[in-house]
Amino acid sequence: MDFPYARLRRRPDVEAENLQAYDATDVLLVERGLSLGVDGHEIAVIGDEYGAITLALTAAGIDGIRVHQDLATGRRALALNAADLGLAGFEPHDLGAALLRGVRLVLLQLPKSLAELEEIADAVARWAAPDVVLVAGGRVKHMTLAQNEVLARRFGRVRAERAERKSRLVVAAEPLPVPAAPPFPVTQRHGDLVLAAHGGAFAGAKLDIGTRVLLEVLGLADPQLRRSAPEPGETGPQPPSGDGISGVLNEEPTEPAPVVVDLGCGTGALAASYALAHPAARVIATDRSAAAVASARATVAANGVADRVDVMHDDAASELPDASADLVLLNPPFHLGTSVHTGAATRLFEAAARILRPGGELLTVFNSSLGYRAELTRLVGPTEQLHRTPKFTVMRSVRR
């Protein structure tokens, strides 16, 4: 089969010369899937970043494939690529029983985290057909023996194949009995805050350092987590000042209720903490990762603020109206998949600028080495440093 992989695009995700919409692992998974002759209604594809696996199979005449993609950008890219190529014959699903019930073949692009792989392996063993075969693939440089060990906890037979085109397939079969309850989400308490996390959520149920620094600046960190004095090279946390956010941070309720957006919310630590401290605010948490969104929903429920926090699965707040937010909180990523690339942060800065009302404020925490101040000033408005440690910097930008 001669599928036009080169025609696939990553949009609406970041596009650049060093970023492409498929790799050799996709091709190997497609070749294996076609060779097994399984009916399309008994095939599930998981982790297909931009649709290369799903669309190559449908182009070969396989219909009824179920597909799960964690990222909203991947789901939209699949739809756009399918439209460009005139292809159909697949159904999107979240990770769960509807995706896997009765499935006899799972094609998986191995995820970065072992926790995410554990959740996927458990789901396949829990809901797929008893004779299911899981074919997982990855780039050799990113694969570890620990991935085989995770699979072996849910499958009686796990076999790694020889590397080909710098990629490798691992085949798992004979699913083992699973515990009564799924292993995710996991929870962890951080002072008064409870974090919940599914396998694919960044940092799991831990409170990542950047988020903790931003919570300190906002005055929302639990006293047990605060340090008594700055470390060498730090400036002490400075609360935002000026006209823009002073009303939002004020304990007195305002009319109308201020709108606060946790952009790229992850497990929802910022959204839940802000909602707990500011009952009058309307808080929106949004992330492009389905695992993060499921985690954030579990987090706000665990903290009793589910009625005050709206959690959305969305790419760069695309579903929020222009000039609708008073405050945006942002701890942006600096990786795209396994590539170091600042394009993801730029897209979120642009999104914050779009959804902030004039005079609204963006509080951003990022690795101090990245130096985003000029870009924030250009895209959002006047930007000042509120806090700096050797590792992290917090900036305040006012929407011009």
Side-chain angles (χ1 to χ4, degrees), residues 6 26 31 54 56 61 82 161 167 176 215 327 341 369:
D26 294 321
E31 291 172 351
T54 304
E161 300 187 349
S167 293
L176 300 173
L215 287 172
L327 172 64
H341 199 288
S369 61

PDB file of all heavy atoms in Angstrom, residues 6 26 31 54 56 61 82 161 167 176 215 327 341 369:
ATOM      1  N   ALA A   6       3.328  11.867   3.581  1.00  0.00           N
ATOM      2  CA  ALA A   6       3.900  13.210   3.498  1.00  0.00           C
ATOM      3  C   ALA A   6       2.837  14.297   3.366  1.00  0.00           C
ATOM      4  O   ALA A   6       3.125  15.476   3.602  1.00  0.00           O
ATOM      5  CB  ALA A   6       4.882  13.297   2.333  1.00  0.00           C
ATOM      6  N   ASP A  26       4.706   4.805  13.158  1.00  0.00           N
ATOM      7  CA  ASP A  26       3.368   4.775  12.566  1.00  0.00           C
ATOM      8  C   ASP A  26       3.322   3.779  11.406  1.00  0.00           C
ATOM      9  O   ASP A  26       2.389   2.978  11.288  1.00  0.00           O
ATOM     10  CB  ASP A  26       2.980   6.168  12.056  1.00  0.00           C
ATOM     11  CG  ASP A  26       2.811   7.190  13.161  1.00  0.00           C
ATOM     12  OD1 ASP A  26       2.277   6.828  14.217  1.00  0.00           O
ATOM     13  OD2 ASP A  26       3.216   8.347  12.955  1.00  0.00           O
ATOM     14  N   GLU A  31       1.672  -1.392   8.952  1.00  0.00           N
ATOM     15  CA  GLU A  31       2.036  -2.626   8.249  1.00  0.00           C
ATOM     16  C   GLU A  31       1.626  -3.855   9.055  1.00  0.00           C
ATOM     17  O   GLU A  31       1.098  -4.831   8.497  1.00  0.00           O
ATOM     18  CB  GLU A  31       3.529  -2.634   7.963  1.00  0.00           C
ATOM     19  CG  GLU A  31       3.957  -1.591   6.919  1.00  0.00           C
ATOM     20  CD  GLU A  31       5.463  -1.471   6.773  1.00  0.00           C
ATOM     21  OE1 GLU A  31       6.195  -2.076   7.594  1.00  0.00           O
ATOM     22  OE2 GLU A  31       5.907  -0.780   5.845  1.00  0.00           O
ATOM     23  N   THR A  54      -4.488   5.686  11.763  1.00  0.00           N
ATOM     24  CA  THR A  54      -5.914   5.530  11.471  1.00  0.00           C
ATOM     25  C   THR A  54      -6.220   5.742   9.996  1.00  0.00           C
ATOM     26  O   THR A  54      -6.942   4.955   9.366  1.00  0.00           O
ATOM     27  CB  THR A  54      -6.724   6.527  12.315  1.00  0.00           C
ATOM     28  OG1 THR A  54      -6.424   6.325  13.703  1.00  0.00           O
ATOM     29  CG2 THR A  54      -8.215   6.364  12.087  1.00  0.00           C
ATOM     30  N   ALA A  56      -4.148   5.667   7.352  1.00  0.00           N
ATOM     31  CA  ALA A  56      -3.530   4.673   6.468  1.00  0.00           C
ATOM     32  C   ALA A  56      -4.343   3.383   6.455  1.00  0.00           C
ATOM     33  O   ALA A  56      -4.490   2.742   5.405  1.00  0.00           O
ATOM     34  CB  ALA A  56      -2.097   4.396   6.900  1.00  0.00           C
ATOM     35  N   GLY A  61      -9.053   0.402   3.128  1.00  0.00           N
ATOM     36  CA  GLY A  61     -10.372  -0.211   3.077  1.00  0.00           C
ATOM     37  C   GLY A  61     -10.867  -0.777   4.385  1.00  0.00           C
ATOM     38  O   GLY A  61     -11.903  -1.456   4.421  1.00  0.00           O
ATOM     39  N   ALA A  82      -8.229  13.835   7.475  1.00  0.00           N
ATOM     40  CA  ALA A  82      -9.215  12.958   6.853  1.00  0.00           C
ATOM     41  C   ALA A  82      -9.997  13.705   5.780  1.00  0.00           C
ATOM     42  O   ALA A  82     -10.250  13.167   4.693  1.00  0.00           O
ATOM     43  CB  ALA A  82     -10.165  12.401   7.915  1.00  0.00           C
ATOM     44  N   GLU A 161      10.222  -7.063  19.617  1.00  0.00           N
ATOM     45  CA  GLU A 161      10.749  -7.494  18.333  1.00  0.00           C
ATOM     46  C   GLU A 161      12.025  -6.732  17.976  1.00  0.00           C
ATOM     47  O   GLU A 161      12.378  -5.749  18.638  1.00  0.00           O
ATOM     48  CB  GLU A 161       9.683  -7.312  17.252  1.00  0.00           C
ATOM     49  CG  GLU A 161       8.423  -8.118  17.540  1.00  0.00           C
ATOM     50  CD  GLU A 161       7.436  -8.078  16.391  1.00  0.00           C
ATOM     51  OE1 GLU A 161       7.632  -7.268  15.456  1.00  0.00           O
ATOM     52  OE2 GLU A 161       6.471  -8.875  16.419  1.00  0.00           O
ATOM     53  N   SER A 167      12.853   2.100  14.903  1.00  0.00           N
ATOM     54  CA  SER A 167      11.662   1.904  15.710  1.00  0.00           C
ATOM     55  C   SER A 167      11.576   0.433  16.104  1.00  0.00           C
ATOM     56  O   SER A 167      12.257  -0.420  15.542  1.00  0.00           O
ATOM     57  CB  SER A 167      10.400   2.316  14.937  1.00  0.00           C
ATOM     58  OG  SER A 167      10.373   3.715  14.705  1.00  0.00           O
ATOM     59  N   LEU A 176      -4.229 -10.627  31.631  1.00  0.00           N
ATOM     60  CA  LEU A 176      -4.332 -11.209  32.966  1.00  0.00           C
ATOM     61  C   LEU A 176      -5.533 -10.607  33.704  1.00  0.00           C
ATOM     62  O   LEU A 176      -6.043  -9.550  33.327  1.00  0.00           O
ATOM     63  CB  LEU A 176      -3.048 -10.921  33.745  1.00  0.00           C
ATOM     64  CG  LEU A 176      -1.756 -11.476  33.136  1.00  0.00           C
ATOM     65  CD1 LEU A 176      -0.547 -10.964  33.918  1.00  0.00           C
ATOM     66  CD2 LEU A 176      -1.787 -13.001  33.115  1.00  0.00           C
ATOM     67  N   LEU A 215       1.627  29.563  42.781  1.00  0.00           N
ATOM     68  CA  LEU A 215       0.713  29.602  43.919  1.00  0.00           C
ATOM     69  C   LEU A 215       1.258  30.496  45.034  1.00  0.00           C
ATOM     70  O   LEU A 215       0.504  31.212  45.700  1.00  0.00           O
ATOM     71  CB  LEU A 215       0.465  28.187  44.445  1.00  0.00           C
ATOM     72  CG  LEU A 215      -0.420  27.288  43.590  1.00  0.00           C
ATOM     73  CD1 LEU A 215      -0.417  25.858  44.126  1.00  0.00           C
ATOM     74  CD2 LEU A 215      -1.849  27.821  43.535  1.00  0.00           C
ATOM     75  N   LEU A 327      -8.454  37.401  34.359  1.00  0.00           N
ATOM     76  CA  LEU A 327      -7.149  36.894  34.793  1.00  0.00           C
ATOM     77  C   LEU A 327      -6.902  35.544  34.138  1.00  0.00           C
ATOM     78  O   LEU A 327      -7.787  34.686  34.117  1.00  0.00           O
ATOM     79  CB  LEU A 327      -7.117  36.737  36.322  1.00  0.00           C
ATOM     80  CG  LEU A 327      -5.896  36.050  36.941  1.00  0.00           C
ATOM     81  CD1 LEU A 327      -4.633  36.858  36.712  1.00  0.00           C
ATOM     82  CD2 LEU A 327      -6.110  35.810  38.434  1.00  0.00           C
ATOM     83  N   HIS A 341      10.618  22.521  22.138  1.00  0.00           N
ATOM     84  CA  HIS A 341      10.117  23.512  21.197  1.00  0.00           C
ATOM     85  C   HIS A 341       9.251  24.499  21.969  1.00  0.00           C
ATOM     86  O   HIS A 341       8.353  24.096  22.713  1.00  0.00           O
ATOM     87  CB  HIS A 341       9.313  22.833  20.093  1.00  0.00           C
ATOM     88  CG  HIS A 341       9.143  23.672  18.860  1.00  0.00           C
ATOM     89  ND1 HIS A 341       8.317  24.769  18.818  1.00  0.00           N
ATOM     90  CD2 HIS A 341       9.705  23.568  17.630  1.00  0.00           C
ATOM     91  CE1 HIS A 341       8.363  25.307  17.609  1.00  0.00           C
ATOM     92  NE2 HIS A 341       9.211  24.599  16.872  1.00  0.00           N
ATOM     93  N   SER A 369      15.465  30.103  32.376  1.00  0.00           N
ATOM     94  CA  SER A 369      16.390  30.155  31.245  1.00  0.00           C
ATOM     95  C   SER A 369      15.711  30.529  29.930  1.00  0.00           C
ATOM     96  O   SER A 369      16.387  30.868  28.955  1.00  0.00           O
ATOM     97  CB  SER A 369      17.074  28.794  31.072  1.00  0.00           C
ATOM     98  OG  SER A 369      16.106  27.794  30.797  1.00  0.00           O
TER      99      SER A 369
END
